[in-house]
Amino acid sequence: MKAKLTVVLYGVTLLVLSACIQAPRTVKKEQHLDSKTANHEVHWSYSGETSPKHWAEIEKYSDCDGELQSPINIIHRSADSIKIGNKFEMFYTPNTFLSEVKNDGHSIKFAFESGDSIRYKNDIYYLKQIHFHEPAEHKINGLIYPIEMHLVHQSKSGRFTVLGILGEEGAESDLFEFFQSFLPLENGETKDIDEQIDLSYLQLDKKTYYTYKGSLTTPPCSESVHWVVFKEPFILSVEEVLTLKSNMPINNYRIEQPLNGRVVKYNF
Ligand SMILES: [Zn+2]
């Protein structure tokens, strides 16, 4: 099944835009469509009978029941500490264009035109999209942060590296003020932005982070995602957290998944 899914995933490279993507699900539906299932598709969600614990049954061709799933609880003292082990390089520029923002019913997603990229494990990954989960999906030492931002990067061959940044409540964040200037958005609504944004000032490559091999945290839960989760949270205000929360489904997070022998690396 994994081989088949990999083929599907590579086949839809251009459609795949995020860790919360819907495109592969749609393509999968077309490829497995028959008269019996055509009108009976159940859409995954974060609550009730289509909540994360049912994803594997709802999304039969997904990897949601795989062995290398995300998110995880990162235990710092169990992490393998490596000095500049999986170092990644950032090529974030001050004049990247933010093209649009969308509320797709799962999260608020900001889409980017080409500009920002990173080099990780000898491949270049392009920033495609930023979205949010509330509360956070990854935990550090069991601690649940109020919010998590995912910076989804994709290589030309369709592979993913996702940067996860946990948010902690404190002072206002200029970045979030900017993001929130485009809200609110109705479910299903998209707004064009076409404004420049400078994420280079975050200097993420100067921070310490954890790396591990995981998956998209939403169906199709595709594996072979490089995860980079920063140890230090960014600070945003309570009001900013609440604004994001009011624009997304309640509790749009997946619970922690078993490590299954995976080793998390701490890069400092
Ligand atoms: Zn995500």
Side-chain angles (χ1 to χ4, degrees), residues 68 70 159-162 212-216 221-227:
L68 306 174
S70 295
R159 296 184 176 277
F160 288 105
T161 293
V162 185
Y212 76 97
K213 252 190 154 172
S215 73
L216 302 177
C221 311
S222 313
E223 294 182 340
S224 298
V225 173
H226 295 301
W227 272 100

Side-chain angles (χ1 to χ4, degrees), residues 97-117:
F97 266 93
L98 191 55
S99 50
E100 63 173 38
V101 58
K102 180 176 188 178
N103 177 348
D104 72 349
H106 301 305
S107 185
I108 295 293
K109 299 177 175 179
F110 289 90
F112 291 83
E113 289 174 13
S114 59
D116 289 345
S117 62

Side-chain angles (χ1 to χ4, degrees), residues 26-42:
T26 308
V27 169
K28 184 197 74 192
K29 182 175 76 174
E30 285 161 9
Q31 289 178 345
H32 299 281
L33 201 65
D34 63 44
S35 56
K36 284 181 188 162
T37 59
N39 300 319
H40 290 71
E41 189 178 355
V42 182

Side-chain angles (χ1 to χ4, degrees), residues 19-20 46 107 131-133 137 148-150 152 162 217-218 227:
C20 291
Y46 286 101
S107 185
H131 65 265
F132 309 91
H133 298 273
E137 297 197 304
E148 182 167 346
M149 175 161 70
H150 286 161
V152 182
V162 185
T217 66
T218 56
W227 272 100

Side-chain angles (χ1 to χ4, degrees), residues 11-256:
V12 295
T13 297
L14 294 175
L15 296 174
V16 174
L17 285 177
S18 84
C20 291
I21 42 183
Q22 293 170 297
R25 186 187 60 79
T26 308
V27 169
K28 184 197 74 192
K29 182 175 76 174
E30 285 161 9
Q31 289 178 345
H32 299 281
L33 201 65
D34 63 44
S35 56
K36 284 181 188 162
T37 59
N39 300 319
H40 290 71
E41 189 178 355
V42 182
H43 201 304
W44 63 271
S45 77
Y46 286 101
S47 61
E49 293 179 352
T50 51
S51 66
K53 64 179 178 185
H54 300 291
W55 287 353
E57 355 164 343
I58 298 167
E59 305 285 332
K60 290 198 170 43
Y61 301 97
S62 74
D63 270 355
C64 297
D65 56 351
E67 298 284 303
L68 306 174
Q69 291 291 293
S70 295
I72 58 166
N73 178 20
I74 296 166
I75 307 292
H76 182 77
R77 60 176 283 191
S78 304
D80 199 356
S81 293
I82 296 181
K83 192 156 192 178
I84 319 177
N86 287 319
K87 183 77 182 162
F88 70 91
E89 290 174 78
M90 301 199 80
F91 308 108
Y92 275 26
T93 67
N95 48 5
T96 288
F97 266 93
L98 191 55
S99 50
E100 63 173 38
V101 58
K102 180 176 188 178
N103 177 348
D104 72 349
H106 301 305
S107 185
I108 295 293
K109 299 177 175 179
F110 289 90
F112 291 83
E113 289 174 13
S114 59
D116 289 345
S117 62
I118 57 174
R119 188 202 307 276
Y120 187 59
K121 291 183 183 278
N122 298 319
D123 211 348
I124 301 289
Y125 294 83
Y126 301 89
L127 178 64
K128 296 289 184 182
Q129 188 239 76
I130 289 181
H131 65 265
F132 309 91
H133 298 273
E134 187 284 320
E137 297 197 304
H138 285 95
K139 297 181 203 168
I140 296 182
N141 297 328
L143 200 64
I144 302 171
Y145 286 84
I147 209 146
E148 182 167 346
M149 175 161 70
H150 286 161
L151 289 73
V152 182
H153 298 71
Q154 194 177 27
S155 71
K156 290 222 159 90
S157 63
R159 296 184 176 277
F160 288 105
T161 293
V162 185
L163 310 185
I165 311 178
L166 304 163
E168 191 173 76
E169 290 159 337
E172 253 180 25
S173 151
D174 289 345
L175 179 61
F176 274 77
E177 287 302 304
F178 177 73
F179 282 146
Q180 292 181 358
S181 65
F182 305 103
L183 303 178
L185 282 179
E186 298 287 321
N187 188 344
E189 187 183 356
T190 301
K191 269 185 199 166
D192 288 334
I193 298 179
D194 290 325
E195 283 191 37
Q196 287 185 326
I197 183 170
D198 180 8
L199 296 169
S200 62
Y201 82 94
L202 293 173
Q203 297 196 302
L204 295 173
D205 52 347
K206 300 215 171 14
K207 300 184 187 297
T208 61
Y209 52 90
Y210 301 98
T211 54
Y212 76 97
K213 252 190 154 172
S215 73
L216 302 177
T217 66
T218 56
C221 311
S222 313
E223 294 182 340
S224 298
V225 173
H226 295 301
W227 272 100
V228 175
V229 179
F230 293 89
K231 182 167 184 280
E232 185 190 324
F234 66 87
I235 306 297
L236 73 170
S237 69
V238 175
E239 291 73 25
E240 288 165 339
V241 171
L242 291 175
T243 302
L244 273 175
K245 183 176 178 175
S246 66
N247 276 274
M248 301 192 296
I250 291 174
N251 296 325
N252 69 336
Y253 74 101
R254 187 187 196 193
I255 58 162
E256 73 180 76

